[in-house]
């Protein structure tokens, strides 16, 4: 089977529509969510080719296949993350500036900033006395580096 488009996202579907189907999952590392062409295997051993027509990143919950009885979706393997919890806007601005200078991609959920684990960033956070925890956590989308040059 070759998948050329994402049909839906399970998080946007009606719960009853989801529950009436057998669900298979394709587990991907978050870094692989940016690949438009790849060969994957479901948790039931079914091989699938992904060749997306549109230049779009995959997201956790994306539905690759669905019929009346079955559904195949993307799930993401947990990443080793630093979950940064700034106490105020000034602290958020300071750490965002420091991490931005390192071109480190970040994601935001609720009132926390998520970055992939890096021992240098961990040391920086400790030196700056900024609250954080290191944990395994699933992200819904890939950490994306934004192209930039210092002209």
């Amino acid at each position: 089977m070759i998948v050329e488009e994402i049909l839906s996202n399970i998080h946007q579907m009606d719960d009853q529509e989801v529950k009436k189907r057998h669900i298979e999952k394709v587990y991907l590392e978050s870094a692989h969510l940016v690949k438009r062409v790849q060969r994957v295997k479901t948790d039931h051993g079914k091989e699938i080719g992904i060749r997306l027509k549109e230049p779009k990143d995959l997201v956790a919950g994306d539905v690759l296949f669905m019929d009346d009885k079955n559904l195949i979706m993307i799930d993401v393997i947990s990443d080793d993350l630093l979950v940064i919890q700034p106490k105020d806007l000034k602290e958020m601005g300071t750490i965002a500036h420091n991490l931005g200078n390192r071109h480190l991609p970040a994601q935001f959920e609720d009132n926390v900033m998520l970055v992939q684990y890096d021992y240098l960033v961990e040391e920086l956070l400790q030196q700056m006395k900024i609250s954080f925890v290191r944990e395994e956590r699933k992200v819904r989308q890939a950490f994306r580096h934004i192209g930039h040059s210092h002209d």
Side-chain angles (χ1 to χ4, degrees):
M1 169 190 319
I2 296 179
V3 174
E4 294 184 330
E5 66 181 346
I6 303 305
L7 302 177
S8 182
N9 189 290
I10 200 162
H11 303 295
Q12 298 167 343
M13 293 175 60
D14 179 69
D15 284 345
Q16 294 303 321
E17 287 297 311
V18 174
K19 288 178 183 175
K20 71 180 187 181
R21 292 175 169 85
H22 170 76
I23 297 177
E24 288 185 57
K25 293 183 178 182
V26 172
Y27 289 97
L28 296 177
E29 294 177 20
S30 64
H32 291 174
L33 294 171
V34 298
K35 292 183 173 183
R36 284 183 33 211
V37 178
Q38 57 186 310
R39 181 174 296 279
V40 297
K41 194 178 277 194
T42 71
D43 58 351
H44 290 55
K46 188 179 295 175
E47 286 198 22
I48 298 174
I50 299 175
R51 185 178 58 218
L52 299 179
K53 291 179 181 178
E54 300 292 322
K56 175 184 181 293
D57 291 352
L58 295 168
V59 176
D62 278 349
V63 177
L64 303 175
F65 171 83
M66 184 170 57
D67 64 16
D68 292 340
K69 297 178 183 175
N70 299 296
L71 182 145
I72 299 174
M73 64 173 272
I74 298 290
D75 202 350
V76 181
I77 298 169
S78 295
D79 280 302
D80 186 7
L81 301 177
L82 293 171
V83 180
I84 304 168
Q85 303 155 325
K87 68 179 180 254
D88 57 28
L89 189 59
K90 181 180 179 191
E91 198 170 84
M92 173 56 93
T94 302
I95 192 58
H97 174 76
N98 277 281
L99 297 180
N101 280 340
R102 297 168 189 241
H103 302 282
L104 190 68
Q107 294 184 25
F108 300 88
E109 288 182 6
D110 301 319
N111 290 321
V112 298
M113 176 186 230
L114 307 173
V115 296
Q116 291 175 308
Y117 177 77
D118 179 298
Y119 75 94
L120 293 172
V121 174
E122 183 178 41
E123 287 176 2
L124 175 68
L125 293 169
Q126 289 168 343
Q127 289 170 359
M128 296 176 73
K129 295 181 177 32
I130 293 178
S131 178
F132 74 94
V133 293
R134 181 179 178 184
E135 68 181 43
E136 290 285 320
R137 186 188 272 202
K138 289 183 179 188
V139 293
R140 290 200 57 221
Q141 54 195 11
F143 283 93
R144 259 234 187 259
H145 287 276
I146 296 173
H148 175 75
S149 63
H150 293 277
D151 293 330

